[in-house]
Amino acid sequence: QLQLVESGGGLVQPGGSLRLSCAASGFTLDYYAIGWFRQAPGKEREGVSCISRSGGTTNYADSVKGRFTISRDNAKNTVYLQMNSLKPEDTGVYYCASRQAPVRGTCGYYGMEYWGKGTLVTVSS
């Protein structure tokens, strides 16, 4: 069964850090660009960060630039999202998703093929 599984969410105080993981099973992430998305209560899902198949291209939403870092370890078939200086407005369910991509392609937040079920991040004092 092809699936993505997110982990690492939880409750953290403002200013704290979390590292989310997105692990693939049933397929290898080597051929895929990966995106992280989040959905806050009462809001639409938004793209947070993405990374190209090679890892050479990354993108961040303006709201998380300088605080979040996306990375990938293809040997572990896992993509990470390091989140620092967390704010209450970062609260939401975080999802990862994959899209097949060319070797020298970039990344984006559209045309995603596989989605995880999400992990909840709550930033609150």
Side-chain angles (χ1 to χ4, degrees):
Q1 185 177 2
L2 309 179
Q3 60 179 351
L4 294 170
V5 179
E6 303 93 339
S7 62
L11 173 64
V12 63
Q13 292 186 342
S17 298
L18 285 174
R19 189 178 78 156
L20 305 184
S21 298
C22 171
S25 64
F27 67 107
T28 176
L29 287 180
D30 290 19
Y31 303 103
Y32 293 82
I34 304 297
W36 280 99
F37 300 77
R38 69 185 178 190
Q39 187 165 21
K43 294 187 177 181
E44 294 186 354
R45 187 167 57 194
E46 63 173 344
V48 173
S49 181
C50 68
I51 188 167
S52 63
R53 174 177 164 179
S54 69
T57 300
T58 58
N59 180 271
Y60 298 92
D62 288 342
S63 59
V64 307
K65 279 181 182 176
R67 300 188 297 122
F68 290 12
T69 303
I70 191 170
S71 62
R72 65 189 299 156
D73 185 341
N74 287 347
K76 294 184 177 180
N77 221 21
T78 302
V79 173
Y80 304 97
L81 185 67
Q82 178 67 43
M83 306 187 297
N84 298 329
S85 302
L86 283 162
K87 304 175 181 179
E89 50 263 44
D90 294 319
T91 294
V93 179
Y94 283 70
Y95 303 87
C96 63
S98 64
R99 180 187 71 185
Q100 285 197 28
V103 173
R104 298 180 180 179
T106 57
C107 69
Y109 306 105
Y110 55 91
M112 312 312 281
E113 299 170 72
Y114 300 114
W115 289 84
K117 294 183 178 180
T119 184
L120 177 63
V121 172
T122 303
V123 184
S124 175
S125 56

